[in-house]
Amino acid sequence: MSGSFDALLREVNASPSERKLIELIERTNLSADLKAILCDLARITVRVGGKVVAIGRRILAFALDLIRTFPGMAAGAVVALVLAGLIDSIPGIGNRYLMAVLTPLLLAIGIGIGALRDMTSPDFNVRVGALVDSFRVLVAV
């Protein structure tokens, strides 16, 4: 079991460096507040069995891997949330009862369309295989 734990620690700590993640975050067009939150997430560590585990870096790396693997789904979710926000801001139309139904519906449609786009792309199997391989060690524990 100790060998599996050590392999898991190596895999989690093999995430991109904190500096590389922060540089990547800083190059985005996100707001300064969101950039600060993501940078704080990259710095989160926990102590497990006397060893420091860079869990924040792994979470960010996983999120970025998902966005790279499924760009259509990510774009569909963003477009759906933007549309929901726009509709919510229209006086008389946007109210919390309507948005409670409309937001999940728009998300389902946006993610569904994005998923279809992703799944029909020619390199889909390669991208998903790479994502699965990057987390295979976590399943082995």
Side-chain angles (χ1 to χ4, degrees):
M1 183 69 176
S2 176
S4 300
F5 181 71
D6 290 338
L8 176 64
L9 284 177
R10 276 193 304 277
E11 177 67 24
V12 170
N13 285 328
S15 301
S17 70
E18 182 180 320
R19 184 174 9 150
K20 183 176 180 181
L21 284 172
I22 290 173
E23 286 173 2
L24 193 107
I25 291 167
E26 291 299 328
R27 285 191 304 226
T28 65
N29 292 329
L30 299 172
S31 70
D33 292 335
L34 188 53
K35 286 180 183 181
I37 290 170
L38 291 174
C39 290
D40 288 343
L41 177 64
R43 292 183 183 104
I44 293 175
T45 59
V46 294
R47 188 173 294 277
V48 178
K51 297 184 180 192
V52 176
V53 179
I55 195 71
R57 288 187 355 226
R58 192 63 194 154
I59 290 170
L60 268 179
F62 177 71
L64 293 172
D65 285 345
L66 281 177
I67 290 170
R68 272 188 224 109
T69 304
F70 305 109
M73 288 175 61
V78 168
V79 168
L81 290 173
V82 168
L83 283 174
L86 287 173
I87 292 170
D88 189 36
S89 68
I90 298 172
I93 295 176
N95 64 48
R96 65 179 174 185
Y97 302 113
L98 174 65
M99 296 315 294
V101 174
L102 192 59
T103 301
L105 183 63
L106 286 172
L107 275 171
I109 292 169
I111 291 172
I113 291 171
L116 286 173
R117 183 173 166 229
D118 286 339
M119 285 188 251
T120 56
S121 71
D123 63 339
F124 179 71
N125 288 336
V126 173
R127 288 185 288 145
V128 171
L131 181 67
V132 169
D133 289 342
S134 71
F135 290 96
R136 191 169 303 277
V137 73
L138 298 176
V139 177
V141 172

